[in-house]
Amino acid sequence: MAILTQIGVVLGVCLAGELVAQILPFPFPSSVIAMVLLFVLLCTKVIKPHHIRQKGDFLLKNMAFFFIPAGVGILEHFDQLKENLLPFLAVCVLTTFITFFVSVMTVRLMMALQKKGGK
């Protein structure tokens, strides 16, 4: 029964993200809004990690499975992608390095804040 509650919490946050995206006067991905909302709810302790732990663990363990539709979509439209393959690959490589850099800087900042807070 706990897993159903956790799924309900996650789906509720996703629904809230959809509603916010509909209200905004500009297009913005509802999934990003939902992630930010979940982050804020976790930081403010409205939702505690144990409220979504099993669901989160399941999603992390099966993350590769969720990339299959994207891979199939790329293969289905490869003819269109082939025309712009070099710019597409350049964007993929560039954004990968940007993601690595931002991740490293975020971890460094969090570690510095934890050391500062521990004193």
Side-chain angles (χ1 to χ4, degrees), residues 30-69:
S30 61
S31 58
V32 174
I33 295 170
M35 284 191 291
V36 170
L37 180 60
L38 182 60
F39 177 72
V40 169
L41 291 171
L42 285 166
C43 286
T44 58
K45 300 192 191 248
V46 172
I47 295 177
K48 297 193 175 26
H50 72 270
H51 289 141
I52 57 170
R53 178 161 286 129
Q54 284 179 303
K55 176 68 174 165
D57 289 345
F58 170 79
L59 291 172
L60 284 173
K61 288 177 186 173
N62 297 292
M63 188 181 298
F65 176 74
F66 297 109
F67 285 98
I68 291 173

Side-chain angles (χ1 to χ4, degrees), residues 99-109:
T99 302
F100 287 161
F101 177 75
V102 170
S103 297
V104 166
M105 298 311 290
T106 302
V107 168
R108 284 185 176 182
L109 175 64

Side-chain angles (χ1 to χ4, degrees), residues 20-31:
V20 171
Q22 293 295 322
I23 293 171
L24 290 176
F26 51 88
F28 200 83
S30 61
S31 58

Side-chain angles (χ1 to χ4, degrees), residues 75-94:
L75 291 176
E76 283 182 352
H77 300 286
F78 189 72
D79 292 338
Q80 295 170 348
L81 182 63
K82 189 168 44 175
E83 298 168 5
N84 299 307
L85 191 59
L86 193 59
F88 178 75
L89 290 176
V91 167
C92 288
V93 169
L94 181 65

